[in-house]
């Protein structure tokens, strides 16, 4: 995917999205045909069809990108995208992906000028050959023309490239009819989880100030910090369950409840409660909070959004959410863990059924105590330096 500009990463992180492609009549240099899910079949019979379908596979119209579609017997296993140019070795994890997903054939599409596309396509083709994966088609698209790396027939694939117009393909119309969306670019997709502004931001700022004031007041009055921590964490756990229930019923947290949950999520035990309960359907809750919470409280919610999106097969949104978390806090451990998984094209199936239960978390972490509140205390000191912590021993 795109390189994270705020938090250093060893390689650009790919967008990887599962889909499926049933067989159809092939182009002379194309073996597979494509579909977007079992109920949204899109038959691809030419390079123009491929180029028309790719934006709907990745969710936006790519530029200066490498797309690799992995298939087995006409069924797509994964669609991955990287920004170009690529550092050497970026595609290495793809070999393990091919093996894990049973990929026997790939379609490669590079967008951009030859100097950045060709080295990436060559690396993808080399890895395919090394793993005995057939390259059904390899294309470069640039300025409304395409070139094939696997077709050398001048009448079919001339040296000057072949003009193409994706709007003349039925693929876009078919995809639209099936409710599929291709946004103009990745930046447009990023804006779908960007912080909300205007009156919503002002209201959340007031609610957050109110939540912080209440927390500080209660902490000041506490006679036992451990007892206060235990109460705050129990309240936070209850808020997780209540928020999930509210969204499951089609509701939305009000500003003060959202702000209080944002504070509670800074405590690892509370955040991990949401992690252990994670379902694909939780995407909407964590997306809402990622957009509404004040920036300093966003990393936990954004990481949970990434987790839910990854589980649901939307690795594009997962990566954008992780990047959002790491832009705010480059050291946030959960976001870094998910970034590693996305960079290495790991399947979310590795965690399905393996997360601890809330009871197991309690056993592993032990009894809540005051030190568990340190991340929140330190964050409040940073957010509101004019208010010294009422309990210096918490430092």
């Amino acid at each position: 995917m795109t390189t994270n500009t705020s938090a250093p990463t060893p390689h650009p992180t790919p967008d990887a999205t599962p889909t499926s492609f049933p067989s159809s009549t092939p182009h002379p240099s194309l073996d597979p045909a494509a579909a977007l899910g079992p109920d949204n079949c899109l038959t691809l019979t030419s390079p123009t069809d491929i180029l028309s379908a790719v934006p709907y596979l990745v969710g936006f119209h790519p530029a200066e990108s490498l797309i690799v579609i992995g298939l087995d017997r006409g069924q797509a296993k994964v669609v991955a995208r990287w920004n170009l140019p690529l550092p050497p070795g970026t595609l290495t994890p793809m070999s393990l992906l091919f093996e894990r997903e049973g990929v026997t054939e790939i379609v490669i599409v590079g967008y951009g000028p030859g100097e950045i596309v060709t080295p990436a396509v060559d690396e993808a083709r080399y890895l395919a050959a090394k793993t005995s994966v057939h390259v059904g088609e390899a294309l470069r698209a640039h300025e409304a023309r395409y070139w094939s790396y696997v077709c050398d027939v001048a009448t079919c694939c001339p040296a000057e490239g072949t003009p193409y117009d994706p709007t003349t393909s039925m693929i876009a119309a078919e995809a639209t009819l099936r409710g599929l969306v291709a946004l103009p670019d990745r930046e447009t997709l990023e804006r779908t989880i960007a912080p909300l502004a205007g009156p919503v931001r002002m209201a959340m700022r007031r609610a957050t100030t109110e939540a912080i004031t209440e927390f500080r007041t209660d902490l000041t009055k506490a006679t036992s910090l451990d007892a206060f921590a235990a109460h705050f964490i129990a309240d936070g756990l209850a808020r997780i369950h209540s928020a999930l229930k509210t969204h499951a019923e089609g509701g939305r947290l009000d500003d003060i409840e959202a702000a209080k949950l944002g504070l509670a999520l800074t405590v690892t035990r509370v955040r991990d409660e949401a992690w252990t309960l994670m379902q694909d359907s939780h995407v909407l809750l964590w997306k809402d909070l990622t957009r509404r919470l004040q920036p300093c409280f966003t990393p936990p919610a954004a990481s949970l959004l990434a987790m839910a999106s990854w589980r649901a097969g939307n690795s594009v949104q997962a990566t954008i959410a992780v990047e959002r978390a790491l832009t705010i806090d480059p050291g946030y451990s959960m976001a870094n863990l998910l970034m590693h998984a996305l960079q290495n094209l790991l399947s979310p199936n590795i965690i399905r059924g393996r997360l601890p239960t809330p009871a197991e978390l309690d056993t592993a972490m032990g009894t809540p105590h005051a030190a568990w509140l340190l991340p929140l205390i330190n964050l409040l000191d940073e957010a509101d330096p004019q208010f010294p912590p009422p309990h210096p021993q918490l430092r």
Side-chain angles (χ1 to χ4, degrees):
M1 176 170 235
T2 58
T3 305
N4 179 4
T5 57
S6 299
T9 56
H11 291 296
T13 306
D15 299 326
T17 304
T19 184
S20 64
F21 296 76
S23 300
S24 71
T25 306
H27 173 261
S29 60
L30 173 66
D31 192 16
L36 293 153
D39 299 322
N40 289 313
C41 295
L42 297 176
T43 301
L44 307 187
T45 60
S46 69
T48 297
D49 286 348
I50 294 175
L51 295 169
S52 299
V54 163
Y56 295 95
L57 293 172
V58 300
F60 58 92
H61 290 267
E64 297 193 345
S65 301
L66 179 72
I67 314 293
V68 175
I69 305 169
L71 308 100
D72 178 46
R73 290 172 292 183
Q75 297 293 318
K77 300 293 186 175
V78 70
V79 178
R81 188 198 72 91
W82 293 263
N83 267 7
L84 295 177
L86 294 179
T90 297
L91 302 183
T92 299
M94 203 163 61
S95 297
L96 294 175
L97 175 70
F98 292 162
E99 180 179 356
R100 187 185 73 231
E101 299 295 337
V103 170
T104 57
E105 184 168 14
I106 60 172
V107 171
I108 306 167
V109 184
Y111 291 84
E115 58 266 27
I116 65 170
V117 171
T118 300
V121 171
D122 287 347
E123 184 178 351
R125 295 176 70 190
Y126 169 77
L127 286 173
K130 187 177 179 181
T131 54
S132 300
V133 171
H134 175 64
V135 178
E137 179 62 285
L139 300 170
R140 178 172 75 87
H142 187 52
E143 296 180 345
R145 289 180 176 268
Y146 71 80
W147 294 259
S148 174
Y149 290 92
V150 300
C151 176
D152 56 6
V153 179
T155 55
C156 177
C157 303
E160 67 273 17
T162 303
Y164 79 97
D165 181 359
T167 63
T168 64
S169 170
M170 290 298 295
I171 297 300
E174 291 177 11
T176 301
L177 285 174
R178 288 166 171 78
L180 302 171
V181 176
L183 297 176
D185 48 40
R186 190 177 188 270
E187 289 70 27
T188 302
L189 188 58
E190 290 172 359
R191 287 196 289 273
T192 65
I193 64 169
L196 294 172
V200 175
R201 176 57 48 212
M202 294 176 63
M204 279 304 300
R205 188 177 294 120
R206 288 193 295 268
T208 303
T209 298
E210 180 181 335
I212 290 174
T213 300
E214 181 180 319
F215 173 82
R216 290 184 182 279
T217 300
D218 292 344
L219 182 60
T220 301
K221 295 177 179 178
T223 56
S224 167
L225 295 182
D226 286 342
F228 174 81
H231 175 76
F232 181 81
I233 291 162
D235 182 68
L237 298 178
R239 290 183 185 282
I240 291 289
H241 289 264
S242 177
L244 291 173
K245 184 174 184 294
T246 295
H247 266 255
E249 295 173 349
R252 185 170 184 256
L253 299 183
D254 63 32
D255 292 338
I256 189 61
E257 288 300 316
K260 288 182 176 181
L261 182 55
L263 266 65
L265 285 169
T266 64
V267 179
T268 301
R269 177 61 187 87
V270 176
R271 182 207 66 193
D272 285 357
E273 183 82 0
W275 195 344
T276 63
L277 299 172
M278 185 64 67
Q279 299 292 331
D280 299 355
S281 60
H282 296 176
V283 166
L284 292 178
L285 169 61
W286 303 122
K287 184 175 183 178
D288 178 53
L289 289 179
T290 296
R291 303 200 71 187
R292 291 169 65 197
L293 293 178
Q294 289 295 95
C296 62
F297 296 108
T298 297
S303 297
L304 290 166
L305 170 59
M307 177 73 162
S309 300
W310 184 42
R311 281 178 51 103
N314 190 348
S315 291
V316 181
Q317 183 167 273
T319 305
I320 292 173
V322 166
E323 290 172 344
R324 174 83 183 281
L326 292 177
T327 296
I328 298 168
D329 183 357
Y332 197 68
S333 60
M334 182 180 177
N336 278 298
L337 179 64
L338 289 168
M339 179 66 85
H340 174 78
L342 291 163
Q343 285 174 334
N344 287 279
L345 297 170
L346 299 182
S347 169
N349 290 330
I350 64 174
I351 59 170
R352 292 184 188 274
R354 299 183 182 181
L355 291 175
T357 64
E360 289 170 337
L361 278 179
D362 287 336
T363 300
M365 298 184 70
T367 303
H369 52 83
W372 288 16
L373 299 182
L374 279 173
L376 175 56
I377 296 293
N378 292 335
L379 191 61
L380 295 183
D381 288 348
E382 178 182 333
D384 299 300
Q386 69 271 28
F387 294 109
H391 289 283
Q393 63 267 40
L394 276 173
R395 287 186 178 277

